[in-house]
Amino acid sequence: MKVSSMTARTLDTFARMSIGRAFASGIGMVAGGFLILLVLVAIFAPWIAPFDYAAQNLMNANAPPGWPHLLGTDEFGRDVLSRVIFGARTSLSVSATAIAISMAAGMTLGAAAGYFGGVFERAVMTVVDLTWSFPDILIALIFVAIIGPGLTSTTFAIAIAYLAQFTRLTRAQIVRLKRETFIEATINLGAKPSHILLRHLMPNAIAPVIVVGMLAIGDGIVLEATLGFFGLGAQPPTPSWGAMMSSGTAQLFLSPWVIIFPGVAVAVTVIAVNLFGDELIRALDIRDRLRGA
Amino acid sequence: MILRYTFLRLLMLIPVSFSISVVIFMIVYLLPGDPIDNLLRVGSSPEDRAELVAQYGLDRNLVVQYFVWIGNMFQGEFGQAIVLRRPVADLVAQNLPYSLTLGGLAFLFSSTVGMTLGTISAVVRHPVLDRFMRGFILLGSTVPGFWLALLLILFFSVNLGWFPVSGAGGWTSLVLPVLTIGFGGVALVARVTRVALLDAQREDFVTLLHAKGLSSGTILFRHLMPHALLPVVTILALRIGWILGGAVTVEFVFGRPGLGSLLIRALGQRDYPVVQACLLMLALAVMLGTLIGDVAQASMDPRIREKKS
């Protein structure tokens, strides 16, 4: 059987088993529903936003929330609601892409380290432990400083900041699974390493990694917002929740709504991600396996 | 026994700090931009440039540069800031006390308040309190630090006028930064304390203590607390790094001097020696935090001592 179809089947089973159960609880349904809605809003932003996010109107700058600008306008008279809606696009896509990259790289490294062991494992884990002890914002700041500000470097900075987490987690799963009888049996039956790794180890190791990945998207959104706030993320006029707050600081006393609403968007999204992630952990019953790493 | 463990742990720090110092040394060579360009006056010749490069020792072999650099570091000689044109040691000495005060207070705040809240919620176990704690913990671990800082400034400094908006004059300027950094820490410590206490309550020895007729208070403070402290101390020691990370953002928002704001400014100006010194100090603090955590853990739990040494 091909690897791709196997992975697809694993993911499919995983999704059917857990997502449905996570939605079954009240909190899971509210949080999950909100996230689905948010993704839809991000996709259909141009049709939903009441105004053009870049349209300036200096005659109407710093207008308080009201009609027709429901959440007010910023220093250039741009509609805050429209910018928050388009900002969802930037924040979600940057964070999700970054975490996907981080997860893929971390799973590969962690699985290889856990399976092959030896010098390779020690080398990988030394580097990983080194970055693990550093705060994610410092790692991201250094990386952005090296390759310069922008959305691409923000994406890679977030990916690198969380790489250690996925590597450690995957390795811990693989090391634990390797001791199980069914793996020993497969090895004794003469299976190839690639077969054992892809067919038996990864499918059993993947659930905690996916859940942590889901939770990490929340952390990634906060990190993206922080980098944007330092002026290192999205460059004007691209709206991102962090960048909006960055330009809003100068107007903090004059028009606080420019800062308040993007922040509310970040906070509510991250809270929803966390609540849904918690429900997933409960539905999959993997709390103990997350502690090992 | 515990001395032996501490010594071994210190030995393990040598390769780790060596690799960190190499990384920090190399990072700076990957940064784009050249501070020498900033120093050159308009219309200066390539000879002027070569002279400046030689003056800062940037023309030597990388390995030589590394050993010269690390040797100087050991003597507290951090070199000359290229853009600010002052000894880096002075800059660090000037900014470090601010970061230490802020970090230390935030650490104290999050550990005392966090452990108190965690203990209360584990002992009382009232559904309303439980829900409140869950919400608080969720907020503390999800709200971005800089946004919380801005909201606090907006409410307490602008609307109420209780604290200064920015700067570092007197204790009033410390309240909001400490609250901002501490908030996430309080939530984390409270959660860990609560879980540890609840787990400990389920142990057989607790049932025995109850059967012996000890009061709940005695059981809590004499028997459960020492048991529950282990994960709390570990998380607090690891937290030192995160407090420093939080300090970077918070110092920036509140316009406070400190290692974090020094680092951000130096990153923007490509001031190599300052960036290196700041990163080295932060890395040192993170490593010390992990070391303290491990040693404290080992002194409380003999199983760890024996496994690792």
Side-chain angles (χ1 to χ4, degrees):
Chain A
M1 193 187 279
K2 274 206 204 98
V3 173
S4 57
S5 68
M6 242 152 43
T7 323
R9 209 184 54 182
T10 317
L11 284 176
D12 188 46
T13 322
F14 172 80
R16 250 184 293 136
M17 263 171 38
S18 58
I19 306 247
R21 245 184 283 161
F23 270 110
S25 77
I27 292 176
M29 206 160 81
V30 173
F34 174 80
L35 290 176
I36 291 175
L37 193 74
L38 190 71
V39 171
L40 290 178
V41 164
I43 294 173
F44 296 107
W47 291 277
I48 293 170
F51 293 90
D52 178 0
Y53 68 83
Q56 300 189 3
N57 179 6
L58 292 176
M59 300 295 289
N60 195 21
N62 294 319
W67 187 260
H69 297 285
L70 289 177
L71 301 185
T73 62
D74 68 3
E75 52 182 324
F76 299 113
R78 297 176 296 195
D79 182 49
V80 172
L81 175 63
S82 305
R83 290 182 67 75
V84 169
I85 289 173
F86 272 94
R89 259 189 175 185
T90 321
S91 296
L92 289 185
S93 62
V94 165
S95 180
T97 316
I99 299 301
I101 296 172
S102 193
M103 237 169 95
M107 276 168 71
T108 314
L109 271 177
Y115 187 78
F116 296 110
V119 183
F120 176 71
E121 179 182 29
R122 230 171 301 150
V124 169
M125 292 323 283
T126 308
V127 176
V128 161
D129 284 341
L130 214 71
T131 57
W132 173 256
S133 52
F134 274 84
D136 51 0
I137 176 70
L138 269 186
I139 299 174
L141 268 181
I142 293 166
F143 189 78
V144 172
I146 292 172
I147 60 172
L151 280 182
T152 318
S153 57
T154 301
T155 309
F156 281 102
I158 297 173
I160 288 183
Y162 295 114
L163 183 61
Q165 190 180 354
F166 293 112
T167 314
R168 279 172 71 111
L169 185 64
T170 312
R171 180 186 154 272
Q173 305 297 320
I174 299 286
V175 168
R176 185 182 58 84
L177 283 168
K178 252 171 71 179
R179 284 189 235 114
E180 303 264 340
T181 333
F182 77 98
I183 297 296
E184 268 176 41
T186 323
I187 296 172
N188 290 337
L189 283 171
K192 280 181 298 182
S194 61
H195 177 84
I196 300 172
L197 207 51
L198 292 173
R199 189 72 205 267
H200 297 285
L201 289 175
M202 285 317 270
N204 282 295
I206 209 165
V209 183
I210 288 184
V211 174
V212 168
M214 154 100 206
L215 289 169
I217 289 182
D219 298 334
I221 289 173
V222 173
L223 194 52
E224 190 272 332
T226 310
L227 288 174
F229 179 72
F230 284 135
L232 301 169
Q235 299 299 312
T238 311
S240 113
W241 292 338
M244 286 176 73
M245 290 187 263
S246 168
S247 54
T249 347
Q251 317 279 320
L252 182 58
F253 314 119
L254 203 61
S255 48
W257 48 88
V258 179
I259 288 183
I260 291 176
F261 293 119
V264 170
V266 173
V268 172
T269 308
V270 179
I271 286 173
V273 168
N274 273 279
L275 286 176
F276 191 70
D278 268 356
E279 290 305 317
L280 264 183
I281 292 175
R282 193 171 309 160
L284 288 163
D285 196 19
I286 50 169
R287 199 169 291 277
D288 289 338
R289 286 166 72 187
L290 291 175
R291 279 195 193 150
Chain B
M1 196 62 200
I2 190 69
L3 271 178
R4 199 177 112 87
Y5 176 77
T6 314
F7 180 69
L8 283 173
R9 238 350 231 92
L10 274 172
L11 276 185
M12 275 164 61
L13 273 188
I14 295 174
V16 176
S17 39
F18 174 74
S19 8
I20 289 188
S21 68
V22 170
V23 170
I24 290 174
F25 178 75
M26 288 310 296
I27 275 173
V28 170
Y29 283 86
L30 298 171
L31 290 177
D34 188 339
I36 297 292
D37 287 338
N38 297 338
L39 286 179
L40 286 173
R41 262 178 246 106
V42 182
S44 48
S45 65
E47 286 78 36
D48 294 338
R49 188 190 158 79
E51 196 184 315
L52 266 179
V53 167
Q55 190 188 327
Y56 286 102
L58 296 175
D59 55 345
R60 278 180 284 183
N61 179 314
L62 262 189
V63 179
V64 175
Q65 278 194 43
Y66 169 77
F67 280 105
V68 168
W69 176 75
I70 199 77
N72 288 337
M73 290 283 149
F74 270 117
Q75 297 162 31
E77 184 59 57
F78 294 106
Q80 188 83 9
I82 298 180
V83 178
L84 292 170
R85 298 189 191 210
R86 294 179 46 202
V88 179
D90 281 6
L91 286 171
V92 170
Q94 206 177 62
N95 283 283
L96 190 61
Y98 289 101
S99 292
L100 284 182
T101 319
L102 182 61
L105 285 176
F107 185 79
L108 267 181
F109 175 72
S110 50
S111 49
T112 47
V113 178
M115 281 172 73
T116 314
L117 280 180
T119 311
I120 292 175
S121 78
V123 173
V124 178
R125 301 195 60 189
H126 190 276
V128 176
L129 187 74
D130 264 12
R131 193 158 295 173
F132 171 78
M133 280 303 293
R134 264 198 77 176
F136 177 71
I137 288 165
L138 192 66
L139 278 180
S141 53
T142 50
V143 168
F146 68 90
W147 188 59
L148 180 65
L150 291 171
L151 286 190
L152 288 175
I153 291 177
L154 206 56
F155 188 69
F156 288 105
S157 303
V158 179
N159 284 356
L160 295 175
W162 287 0
F163 305 110
V165 171
S166 71
W171 66 272
T172 44
S173 67
L174 271 167
V175 175
L176 294 184
V178 167
L179 277 181
T180 314
I181 305 179
F183 187 58
V186 167
L188 183 75
V189 173
R191 184 178 64 193
V192 175
T193 311
R194 184 188 133 91
V195 170
L197 278 178
L198 289 180
D199 278 355
Q201 273 172 6
R202 271 187 235 116
E203 301 262 345
D204 287 342
F205 78 88
V206 180
T207 321
L208 178 73
L209 291 173
H210 278 295
K212 263 170 66 179
L214 287 183
S215 73
S216 308
T218 317
I219 295 178
L220 176 68
F221 288 107
R222 290 287 310 261
H223 299 279
L224 282 178
M225 278 305 237
H227 203 81
L229 265 180
L230 193 67
V232 178
V233 168
T234 318
I235 215 76
L236 275 174
L238 284 176
R239 193 72 205 168
I240 290 177
W242 293 95
I243 284 178
L244 289 169
V248 173
T249 5
V250 167
E251 281 173 1
F252 182 81
V253 177
F254 285 96
R256 281 181 63 85
L259 278 188
S261 41
L262 185 66
L263 172 68
I264 295 205
R265 204 173 50 202
L267 273 174
Q269 295 170 332
R270 319 257 178 249
D271 204 336
Y272 298 165
V274 182
V275 173
Q276 284 174 323
C278 288
L279 285 178
L280 211 60
M281 299 303 283
L282 292 173
L284 211 64
V286 173
M287 284 193 299
L288 272 179
T290 335
L291 176 73
I292 293 170
D294 281 354
V295 171
Q297 225 181 354
S299 67
M300 284 188 288
D301 191 341
R303 284 171 299 187
I304 295 172
R305 282 204 293 270
E306 269 144 37
K307 204 172 87 187
K308 281 194 184 167
S309 62

